Structure formats: C-alpha cells, structure tokens
Amino acid sequence: MNKLNQDFTLQPFHKVKPVSSPLSHNTAFLWVLFVLISVFLLMMKPSVNNAYFWYINQTSDYFNPELLASITDMGNGIVTGSIMVLILCFKPTWILRVLLAAVICLISTHLLKSYFAELRPAAILEQINIIGDARYSKSFPSGHTATIFLLAGTAFLSSTRLLSRIVLVSLAVIVGLSRIAVGAHWPIDIALGAIIGWGSIYLASILCKPSLLDKQLQLIILTTLLVLLAILSITSTTEFAQFPIVERLQQFYLLAATFGLCLYQKSSRRHPNSRASSH
C-alpha cells in the first residue's frame, strides 16, 4: 500500500461544512439595506412622510400603552446593549466588530441629530397620540431605531439560523414603527436610523475581521459593558416613568445578560483551551 492510500485509509471521514459566503456577497443583507434606502427616499417627500406618520400614530389607539412603551423601549441602549452582551457570549469572535459598529452608530446618530436639529412631531402637530414624555427636538434620525437595527444586523450576519434572523429583523421593524406610534419620531427618522444601524455593523464587518480574543479579555470586555449598562440604568431617566413595567423589563434584560455571562464564565473555566466558532 503506497503512502497516498495509507493517508486515505488512516484519516477518518468527516463531512465538510459548507463555507459561509463572504459579507460582500451576502445579497440578503444588501437587499434589506436597499429596501431601507428606498423607504428613506420615499419619505423625503413631506406629504408622504406626514401621511404615514398620521396613519401609524393613530394605530396606537388600538394597543395597550404599556405594551407600546415596552416595545419601543427595546430600542433603548440599555436593553439593546444587554441583549447584545448575551449574543456575544455565544459569538465572542464578534466582540471587536460590535464595539466598532456601536461607536460608528453612536457617533453618526449624535452628529446628525445635532447638525439637523429637526423638530419632533409634538413640536409641530396638534392632537397626536403621545405615550410617555413628549419630546420636541433632535428628531432626525431615531437613535432607538439605529440601536435595534444594529442588533438585528449583528444577528443577521453572525447567525446561520434563518429563524433568528427573521425574528430579530421583524422585532427591529416593530420597534421602529412603535417610535412613530408613541409620537416620538417621523417615519423618515425611522428610515435613516435603520440605515445607520444596519450599515454600521456591515461597515464594521468589512473593516474588522472576526478575531478570537483571549478568554480572559473577552470576560473583561463583556463584564465592563454590563457594568456600564447597569450604571446607565441607575443614573438615567426613562421617558416612560408612568409605566413601571418598562423599568422592570430593563432590569430583567440586565439580569438575563448577567446570567448568560456567568454561564459563559463557567464554560470558559471548564474548557479553557476551546475555540469558539467564527461564524
């Protein structure tokens, strides 16, 4: 038996896992971005923007205010950050990408808000449905929508499960629409916020390759993020103070992220030399 035959005989047969397509060829992700840009261009016409605001805002009459407040608060950085920490416990190779995307998203949103300083619906229109505190300035773009679409985009690119992609993208759309329903934003604010969040993680994915950090460093980064979120939860004021369930849900998400991080820490101690998947 020659050496070549020996190699084939001795080596066990393994199924070859399909290699995921590069990000540049992720047509589904780019199609979503194309749809978001199309919606944004459509909403640039004031009459269309106003018409859709009235239609969506009036639908809040058919929903429980506490439910709408709980849904729209999922775009809050505390909630989104907690869910992101939980995801990163399972996808540690995405830590640097997500951090870069968060910085891009945060800077872009705040710069645009400050530059345009657009008035919110409550400052211009009368007899609109407002749930929570009324806000009057820095409407464009929606920060809540940007953060939830950043989360959805991360799940879309890092997960191979179709169900998780569909669920989180659908959730992001619902959260974005809820910002109109509670009277906080115009439809064009939502569209641009979605583009920023979705585009930030895509840009970060191009600039930063998946990298497996030292497990100790992973734990330090995730723990630091969780502590910062907890401090922010304690020191910041909510726009839905009249609905205690919103604050309780924030605490629930923080606890869920803490629990996930504890499980990840225990797993790291049991398997110190294991390497996480980059997919």
Side-chain angles (χ1 to χ4, degrees):
M1 183 181 293
N2 58 36
K3 188 177 185 302
L4 180 62
N5 288 334
Q6 286 181 344
D7 289 340
F8 277 106
T9 303
L10 296 175
Q11 292 298 326
F13 176 78
H14 295 288
K15 287 186 177 180
V16 179
K17 294 183 179 180
V19 180
S20 58
S21 59
L23 292 175
S24 58
H25 296 93
N26 196 324
T27 54
F29 189 93
L30 295 178
W31 268 112
V32 174
L33 182 60
F34 173 77
V35 170
L36 294 176
I37 293 174
S38 300
V39 172
F40 173 75
L41 294 175
L42 180 64
M43 294 304 157
M44 288 183 70
K45 188 174 181 180
S47 60
V48 176
N49 188 45
N50 290 342
Y52 274 95
F53 171 81
W54 281 112
Y55 177 76
I56 298 172
N57 182 251
Q58 295 306 306
T59 60
S60 62
D61 290 333
Y62 303 99
F63 294 94
N64 185 299
E66 289 188 345
L67 175 62
L68 282 176
S70 301
I71 292 173
T72 200
D73 198 61
M74 293 196 73
N76 186 303
I78 298 170
V79 176
T80 307
S82 299
I83 299 175
M84 191 70 82
V85 168
L86 194 56
I87 291 176
L88 291 177
C89 288
F90 297 93
K91 299 287 183 180
T93 56
W94 277 70
I95 290 178
L96 294 181
R97 281 181 167 181
V98 169
L99 290 177
L100 177 59
V103 170
I104 295 172
C105 184
L106 183 66
I107 293 176
S108 301
T109 303
H110 281 274
L111 285 178
L112 289 171
K113 277 181 177 290
S114 300
Y115 179 78
F116 288 101
E118 290 290 329
L119 296 177
R120 294 181 186 250
I124 299 175
L125 304 176
E126 296 180 357
Q127 298 180 344
I128 67 172
N129 291 329
I130 297 177
I131 298 175
D133 296 338
R135 296 191 177 186
Y136 303 100
S137 61
K138 295 185 177 181
S139 179
F140 181 79
S142 168
H144 279 62
T145 308
T147 55
I148 194 65
F149 267 88
L150 171 59
L151 173 65
T154 301
F156 197 101
L157 291 175
S158 65
S159 176
T160 57
R161 296 180 180 179
L162 179 61
L163 181 60
S164 63
R165 289 180 171 187
I166 294 175
V167 168
L168 278 172
V169 171
S170 300
L171 175 64
V173 173
I174 292 172
V175 171
L177 294 176
S178 73
R179 297 303 291 165
I180 305 172
V182 301
H185 283 285
W186 302 97
I188 194 171
D189 304 339
I190 305 306
L192 184 59
I195 292 171
I196 291 173
W198 199 256
S200 293
I201 187 62
Y202 186 73
L203 180 59
S205 299
I206 294 174
L207 297 176
C208 182
K209 294 182 179 180
S211 55
L212 189 61
L213 304 175
D214 178 77
K215 285 190 177 294
Q216 191 65 30
L217 183 57
Q218 293 173 19
L219 289 171
I220 291 174
I221 293 175
L222 294 178
T223 302
T224 302
L225 288 175
L226 198 54
V227 170
L228 290 175
L229 291 171
I231 294 173
L232 186 61
S233 177
I234 295 171
T235 58
S236 63
T237 57
T238 175
E239 61 179 311
F240 303 105
Q242 66 272 45
F243 301 128
I245 188 174
V246 174
E247 185 176 356
R248 287 197 291 267
L249 283 172
Q250 284 188 9
Q251 295 169 354
F252 168 78
Y253 292 120
L254 283 168
L255 287 174
T258 303
F259 180 71
L261 188 57
C262 289
L263 290 179
Y264 179 65
Q265 184 177 13
K266 288 184 179 180
S267 175
S268 299
R269 289 177 178 177
R270 291 177 183 175
H271 310 285
N273 297 321
S274 64
R275 297 185 67 84
S277 171
S278 62
H279 298 298

